[in-house]
């Protein structure tokens, strides 16, 4: 990659961490795959000449290549460049600008700058760890395209890498590395969250400090009295805000003053008394909330001893008195409120008594005026007198009760007044003590001031005598301590760097020696093969004269065949790098390369086929495809993959083995996203729990087919294999999801192929995508209606694309659907070699079922000339059964599928499917009618026939 263009550099932006837009939500929130990622902002020295300066770049570490990519912003698709960390070394200097460090690679030096020293140490330790982890992977240097690990990260094939790919950690080495490591925190400046919250520019710290200082000054103004206090300040008072050291920064509660409610604004005797002691006390207690935050006077630290700080000791006593006075004042205000309430209640009771007395007098007057003795009889007169007596008695009782209540209130009032007097006396005594203490403090302040002036004068005199001051010595001592700590950190880092580089150099030397030994063994093996080949040619060329010579020649040829059929088993691998045998027992997908049950001729053919496939995988074209995929995935590092012509072309060229897990997972999630959005996240687990709770009708057939799925693959070869239980779970879960299909033979192979590269749940959704999204509705039902329709569509396409071959098959009445039916049902599983099979699946999972038609026609076109040479129906049909196994060149096959078969519109396939669907349904209806007629005739024949036993027939 070329270096970024820095012609438009802005000098004001150099050495600053810029705030940029955040990442996409989908990228920052993370997914199942996303773990802790090393990424963040760093300043990079770029440009030439006068334009040379620091620019802020977004750095992302790629573990696949051990590259550190840098982008302009987190949203950029194309990186500006990269740094190869695998071969790099790191260094920094304590005496230069803080946060500056260097990365040295082959022929290049990169100067980077972190926001502070702590973040710099974090980046350096992380890069050291990433380099160490990457270089521990064995075999990563053997790839011709890139130092990318050769194994995917999920699926059954990923477990094959665990035993071979990673070296066993050296415990002593790891302990030494941990001793030199220093725990560092990134302060949120490294990782995905740093893109959401970019680091503020360095000059913003100064403004924040100034703002904090102004807040401190504002808060201190509330701690002083309003007026008249300026003359009563302590001698340690300064106008600078730096001399005040707050324990906690001020909040809005300390700066905003709310007026007290009306009920608390009343004057009290204590209020007058507070103002009477103002000359001896310099703080206002009217707002207790101002005293909630402790503060310290002077420029020293708050944890000084009492011996060295008498002012602080006296201040502690003063604070205790302040708290006592504050509590007493609160008690006084509470008592005053109670007194006011009692007074109000007493006044209301008096008013009530007065009103009752007036009502009594008025009622008596009314009664006397309205009721006269002459107008009433003796009985009525007595009754009236009784009522009046009762009323008077009730009123007297009420009056007595009210008088008693008034007496009680009067007694309470007297007791409260007495208590209030006592409290006022106590407050006065405390105020006197506080005044005395404040005078004592002021006197001590004057003494300390005089002593400090004397010491400053002596310091001035000593400075005139060229002796360094204590403050300067203390500053120098602090600087030396900081430098010492910095050099210690640098020493640990450099020791760890030297240690790791030494180990990596030794590993590289041992790897080089192993490769030399491997090259030597391969050369020796090549010489042996050439020698045996020449001897074989000589034996074949020379005529056989006697029986002894014939026997000797036969034994020699037999020995040569045994050597040729010998493959490398897992027990014979003495060294992970030194592999003299070119063909191993299993390929990278877990399929057996040379089957054991076949005869020697077929075994020899299988080994030849494995050698041809290995040679084809090492061609420049395959290397170019791997490089294109590496570059594409590096581009999409900051964003999700999206459907595009570029990605479509890459999918058609085949996905490399180490990237297939990630790409397949993305394809499956893309196709089933709408289905999964409407279901709970634990949907698959719920299906598995249903499997354990209820019996499944398809369970028996699934158990019968498990070991027959891929018997030549080591992941499914025995009941104890890793893939058997996973395959069982996927098929049972799908049978519960889709009871209309339940289980159909063919689904087991689809799920088994998916499990090689996907986790169990992702393989389940891959099966859902194939059955419910890609294929027509009746593809895997009991009638296999969709599969029968596709065979007729394939026949029409063959008539159009391969007319000569179609006419040849029609001439000899060869029905190709007997072979191709299985191709469509299981997407070529067990029909083509494994390398071609997975390349077909790459394109199939991206584009859908149209790929099956393309490759079916391409397979026939690949061997068209061989088919045309066959002039017998039996020979043609026998060749049909195994001809796909002879096709090894995947690049040629894909060229025929995607170039020679064009144009290949999907609409044409859909129209032909609709046309043939009606015809097949009509034929199936006719067949069902014929079957029903046959069953009725058979039942009628059986009813009219007389059944006799064997004994009766003999007699």
């Amino acid at each position: 990659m070329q270096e970024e263009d820095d012609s438009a550099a802005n000098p004001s932006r150099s050495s600053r961490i810029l705030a940029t837009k955040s990442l996409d939500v989908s990228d920052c929130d993370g997914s199942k795959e996303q773990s802790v990622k090393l990424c963040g902002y760093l300043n990079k020295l770029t440009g030439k000449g006068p334009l040379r300066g620091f620019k802020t770049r977004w750095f992302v570490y790629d573990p696949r290549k051990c590259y550190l990519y840098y982008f302009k912003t987190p949203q950029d698709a194309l990186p500006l460049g990269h740094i190869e960390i695998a071969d790099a070394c790191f260094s920094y200097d304590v005496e230069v600008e803080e946060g500056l460090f260097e990365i040295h690679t082959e022929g290049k030096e990169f100067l980077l700058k972190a926001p502070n020293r702590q973040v710099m140490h974090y980046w350096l330790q992380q890069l050291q760890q990433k380099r160490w982890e990457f270089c521990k992977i064995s075999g990563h240097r053997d790839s011709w395209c890139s130092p990318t690990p050769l194994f995917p990260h999920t699926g059954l094939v990923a477990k094959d890498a665990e035993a071979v790919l990673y070296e066993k950690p050296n415990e002593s080495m790891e302990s030494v590395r941990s001793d030199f490591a220093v725990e560092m925190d990134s302060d949120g400046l490294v990782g995905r969250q740093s893109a959401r919250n970019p680091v503020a520019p360095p000059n913003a710290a100064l403004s924040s400090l100034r703002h904090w200082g102004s807040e401190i000054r504002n808060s201190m103004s509330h701690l002083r009295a309003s007026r008249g206090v300026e003359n009563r300040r302590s001698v340690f008072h300064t106008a600078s805000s730096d001399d005040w050291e707050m324990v906690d920064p001020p909040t809005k509660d300390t700066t905003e003053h709310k007026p007290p409610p009306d009920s608390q604004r009343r004057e009290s005797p204590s209020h007058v008394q507070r103002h009477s002691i103002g000359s001896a006390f310099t703080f206002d207690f009217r707002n207790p909330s101002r005293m909630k935050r402790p503060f310290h006077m002077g420029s020293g630290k708050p944890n000084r001893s009492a011996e060295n700080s008498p002012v602080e000791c006296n201040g502690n006593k003063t604070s205790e008195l302040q708290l006592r006075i504050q509590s007493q004042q609160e008690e006084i205000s509470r008592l005053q409120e109670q007194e006011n309430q009692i007074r109000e209640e007493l006044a209301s009771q008096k008013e009530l008594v007065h009103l009752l007395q007036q009502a009594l007098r008025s009622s008596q007057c009314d009664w006397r005026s309205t009721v006269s003795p002459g107008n009433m009889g003796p009985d009525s007169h007595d009754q009236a007198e009784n009522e009046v007596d009762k009323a008077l008695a009730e009123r007297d009782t009420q009056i007595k009760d009210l008088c008693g209540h008034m007496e009680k209130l009067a007694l309470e009032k007297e007791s409260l007044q007495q208590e209030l007097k006592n409290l006022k006396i106590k407050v006065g005594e405390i105020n006197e003590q506080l005044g005395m203490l404040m005078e004592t403090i002021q006197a001590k302040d004057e003494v300390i001031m005089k002593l400090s002036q004397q010491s400053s004068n002596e310091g001035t005199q000593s400075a005139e005598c060229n002796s360094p001051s204590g403050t300067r010595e203390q500053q120098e001592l602090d600087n030396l301590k900081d430098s010492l700590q910095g050099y210690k950190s640098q020493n640990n880092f450099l020791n760890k760097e030297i240690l790791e580089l030494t180990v990596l150099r030794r590993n590289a030397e041992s790897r080089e020696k192993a490769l030399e030994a491997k090259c030597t063994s391969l050369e020796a093996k090549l010489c042996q093969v050439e020698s045996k080949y020449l001897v074989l040619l000589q034996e074949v060329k020379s005529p056989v004269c006697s029986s002894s010579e014939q026997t000797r020649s036969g034994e020699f040829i037999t020995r040569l065949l045994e050597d040729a059929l010998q493959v490398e088993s897992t027990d014979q691998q003495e060294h992970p790098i030194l592999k003299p045998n070119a063909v191993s027992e299993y390929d990278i997908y877990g399929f057996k390369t040379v089957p054991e049950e076949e005869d020697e001729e077929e075994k020899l053919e299988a080994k030849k086929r494995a050698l041809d496939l290995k040679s084809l995988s090492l061609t420049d074209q395959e290397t170019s495809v791997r490089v294109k995929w590496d570059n594409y995935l590096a581009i999409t590092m900051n964003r999700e993959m999206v459907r595009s012509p570029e990605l479509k072309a890459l999918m058609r060229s085949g996905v490399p083995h180490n990237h297939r897990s990630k790409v397949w997972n993305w394809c499956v999630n893309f196709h089933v996203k709408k289905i999964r959005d409407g279901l709970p996240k634990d949907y698959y687990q719920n299906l598995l729990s249903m499997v354990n709770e209820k019996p499944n009708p398809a369970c028996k057939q699934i158990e019968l087919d498990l070991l027959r799925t891929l018997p030549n693959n080591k992941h499914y070869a025995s009941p104890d294999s890793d893939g058997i239980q996973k395959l069982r779970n996927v098929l049972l879960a799908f049978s519960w999801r889709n009871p209309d299909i339940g289980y159909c033979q063919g689904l087991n192979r689809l799920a088994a192929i998916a499990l090689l590269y996907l986790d169990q749940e992702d393989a389940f959704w891959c099966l859902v995508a194939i059955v419910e999204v890609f294929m027509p509705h009746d593809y895997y039902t009991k009638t296999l209606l969709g599969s029968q329709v596709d065979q007729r569509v394939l026949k029409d396409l063959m008539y159009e694309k391969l007319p000569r071959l179609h006419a040849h098959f029609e001439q000899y009445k060869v029905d190709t659907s007997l072979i191709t039916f299985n191709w469509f049902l299981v997407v070529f599983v067990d029909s083509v070699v494994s390398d071609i099979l997975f390349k077909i699946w790459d394109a199939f999972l991206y584009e859908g079922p149209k790929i099956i038609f393309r490759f079916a026609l391409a397979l026939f076109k690949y061997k068209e000339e061989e088919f045309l040479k066959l002039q017998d129906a039996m020979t043609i049909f026998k060749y049909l059964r195994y001809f796909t196994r002879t096709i090894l060149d995947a690049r040629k096959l894909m060229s025929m599928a995607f170039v020679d078969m064009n144009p290949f519109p999907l609409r044409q396939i859909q129209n032909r499917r609709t046309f043939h669907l009606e015809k097949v349904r009509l034929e199936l209806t006719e067949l069902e009618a014929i079957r029903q007629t046959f069953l009725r005739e058979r039942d009628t024949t059986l009813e009219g026939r007389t059944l006799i036993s064997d004994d009766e027939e003999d007699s």
Side-chain angles (χ1 to χ4, degrees), residues 429-676:
E429 294 176 354
I430 292 172
N431 287 335
E432 290 178 0
Q433 294 178 6
L434 182 62
M436 295 174 61
L437 288 174
M438 293 301 297
E439 292 176 358
T440 305
I441 291 172
Q442 188 172 2
K444 289 183 178 181
D445 287 348
E446 293 176 356
V447 174
I448 293 172
M449 195 58 159
K450 291 179 181 179
L451 293 175
S452 63
Q453 288 178 356
Q454 292 179 2
S455 63
S456 62
N457 293 333
E458 292 176 359
T460 305
Q461 293 176 1
S462 61
E464 292 176 356
C465 298
N466 297 327
S467 61
S469 64
T471 305
R472 186 174 180 181
E473 290 179 354
Q474 185 66 31
Q475 291 179 352
E476 291 180 356
L477 182 61
D478 293 339
N479 293 334
L480 290 174
K481 288 181 178 179
D482 293 340
S483 300
L484 178 62
Q485 186 64 31
Y487 281 115
K488 284 182 179 179
S489 301
Q490 185 189 29
N491 186 35
N492 288 335
F493 171 76
L494 293 177
N495 286 336
K496 184 179 178 183
E497 183 74 6
I498 293 171
L499 178 67
E500 290 187 0
L501 291 176
T502 303
V503 174
L504 295 177
R505 180 180 60 82
R506 291 175 181 173
N507 292 341
E509 291 176 354
S510 62
R511 189 183 300 111
E512 183 179 359
K513 292 179 180 178
L515 289 175
E516 290 178 356
K518 179 180 178 180
C519 181
T520 304
S521 64
L522 290 176
E523 288 179 355
K525 188 174 181 64
L526 178 62
C527 294
Q528 293 176 2
V529 171
E530 290 180 351
S531 174
K532 293 176 182 178
Y533 179 68
L534 292 175
V535 173
L536 179 62
L537 290 178
Q538 185 177 4
E539 291 288 337
V540 172
K541 184 178 180 181
S542 61
V544 179
C545 299
S546 62
S547 59
S548 60
E549 292 180 357
Q550 186 177 1
T551 304
R552 184 169 55 85
S553 178
E555 291 176 353
F556 180 75
I557 295 175
T558 303
R559 189 168 62 253
L560 289 179
L561 289 174
E562 291 176 355
D563 294 340
L565 291 175
Q566 185 180 6
V567 296
E568 178 191 8
S569 63
T570 55
D571 299 334
Q572 295 172 345
Q573 296 179 3
E574 298 178 356
H575 196 279
I577 297 179
L578 183 58
K579 298 179 181 178
N581 289 324
V583 178
S584 59
E585 185 178 4
Y586 295 95
D587 61 9
I588 58 175
Y589 313 105
F591 291 99
K592 204 167 186 62
T593 53
V594 181
E596 297 177 355
E597 64 274 4
E598 297 180 356
D599 55 12
E600 291 186 356
E601 184 177 355
E602 292 180 350
K603 287 183 179 181
L604 190 62
E605 183 65 26
K607 185 171 182 180
K608 174 183 174 299
R609 184 166 57 245
L611 289 171
D612 290 339
L613 288 172
K614 187 171 183 179
S615 63
L616 289 172
S617 65
L618 299 176
T619 58
D620 294 339
Q621 194 172 6
E622 294 292 334
T623 303
S624 175
V625 170
R626 289 193 288 267
V627 171
K628 289 179 181 178
W629 269 104
D630 290 339
N631 294 335
Y632 176 79
L633 292 177
I635 290 172
T636 59
M637 189 181 305
N638 286 337
R639 56 184 174 87
E640 291 290 334
M641 292 191 297
V642 294
R643 294 177 70 91
S644 62
E646 180 187 5
L647 181 58
K648 184 178 180 179
L650 285 174
M651 295 295 292
R652 289 184 169 185
S653 64
V655 182
H657 177 59
N658 54 310
H659 300 315
R660 188 166 281 136
S661 294
K662 178 180 179 180
V663 176
W664 279 20
N665 190 17
W666 176 83
C667 290
V668 171
N669 290 330
F670 177 82
H671 290 298
V672 299
K673 186 177 185 302
K674 293 182 179 179
I675 300 176
R676 297 188 70 172

Side-chain angles (χ1 to χ4, degrees), residues 23 25 67 85 122 191 418 481 489 501 526 678 767 786 853 931:
L23 281 170
V25 176
Y67 283 0
I85 302 299
Y122 183 83
Q418 186 66 30
K481 288 181 178 179
S489 301
L501 291 176
L526 178 62
L767 191 60
F853 290 97
R931 191 176 71 87

Side-chain angles (χ1 to χ4, degrees), residues 50 247 380 406 518 548 769 790 804 848:
V247 176
S380 61
M406 289 177 61
K518 179 180 178 180
S548 60
D790 277 356
R804 289 196 305 156

Side-chain angles (χ1 to χ4, degrees), residues 12-31:
S12 63
R13 292 173 58 190
S14 62
S15 71
R16 287 198 300 142
I17 303 296
L18 301 180
T20 62
K21 294 187 295 182
S22 63
L23 281 170
D24 297 336
V25 176
S26 60
D27 188 39
C28 282
D29 292 342
S31 61

Side-chain angles (χ1 to χ4, degrees), residues 154-364:
T154 58
L156 295 173
V157 293
K159 294 188 176 181
D160 297 339
E162 296 178 358
V164 180
L165 184 61
Y166 295 100
E167 298 176 357
K168 294 182 179 180
N170 189 344
E171 294 181 0
S172 60
M173 180 61 193
E174 294 295 335
S175 63
V176 173
R177 289 182 68 253
S178 63
D179 292 339
F180 288 120
V182 181
E183 291 294 333
M184 287 293 174
D185 188 12
S186 62
D187 289 337
L189 302 181
V190 181
R192 294 183 180 275
Q193 70 277 4
S194 62
R196 286 183 178 270
N197 302 312
V199 185
N203 55 7
L206 182 59
S207 62
S208 63
L209 288 174
R210 290 174 180 173
H211 179 67
W212 190 58
S214 63
E215 287 185 350
I216 293 177
R217 286 195 298 271
N218 294 334
S219 63
M220 289 301 104
S221 64
H222 292 292
L223 294 174
R224 307 190 198 103
S226 58
R227 288 187 179 182
V229 184
E230 299 294 334
N231 298 328
R232 296 188 298 273
R233 288 175 182 162
S234 170
V235 293
F236 283 99
H237 169 75
T238 62
S240 175
S241 63
D242 296 332
D243 293 334
W244 293 89
E245 187 170 345
M246 300 293 292
V247 176
D248 293 323
T251 60
K252 294 181 180 179
D253 297 336
T254 61
T255 58
E256 295 182 1
H257 241 4
K258 295 184 178 179
D262 295 337
S263 61
Q264 298 178 2
R265 294 181 182 178
R266 298 173 181 172
E267 287 289 332
S268 62
S270 62
H271 182 72
V272 180
Q273 193 169 0
R274 284 198 302 269
H275 285 286
S276 66
I277 63 171
S279 60
F281 189 66
T282 61
F283 299 98
D284 189 2
F285 293 97
R286 283 174 290 180
N287 189 1
S289 64
R290 293 175 184 168
M291 303 304 298
K292 287 182 180 179
R293 296 185 179 273
F295 67 98
H296 303 278
M297 300 172 61
S299 59
K301 295 184 179 180
N303 56 354
R304 293 176 300 177
S305 63
E307 297 177 359
N308 298 329
S309 180
V311 180
E312 204 167 303
C313 180
N314 294 330
N316 293 333
K317 296 181 180 179
T318 306
S319 61
E320 293 178 0
L321 290 173
Q322 291 171 1
L323 294 175
R324 290 175 59 187
I325 291 174
Q326 183 177 352
S327 61
Q328 294 291 341
Q329 288 177 350
E330 291 177 354
E331 184 69 20
I332 290 172
S333 61
R334 185 179 62 80
L335 293 174
Q336 287 178 350
E337 290 178 0
Q338 290 181 0
E339 182 184 2
N340 294 331
Q341 291 177 0
I342 292 172
R343 285 180 178 178
E344 291 176 357
E345 186 177 358
L346 181 60
S348 62
Q349 294 292 339
K350 286 181 179 181
E351 187 176 357
L352 178 61
V353 170
H354 182 65
L355 291 175
L356 289 174
Q357 289 176 352
Q358 289 181 354
L360 179 61
R361 293 191 189 98
S362 61
S363 62
Q364 288 176 354

Side-chain angles (χ1 to χ4, degrees), residues 856-871:
L857 295 173
L859 288 171
F860 282 114
K861 183 174 178 58
Y862 197 103
K863 294 293 183 178
E864 183 178 12
E865 298 300 327
E866 284 77 359
F867 275 113
L868 294 176
K869 294 177 182 178
L870 303 176
Q871 302 298 324

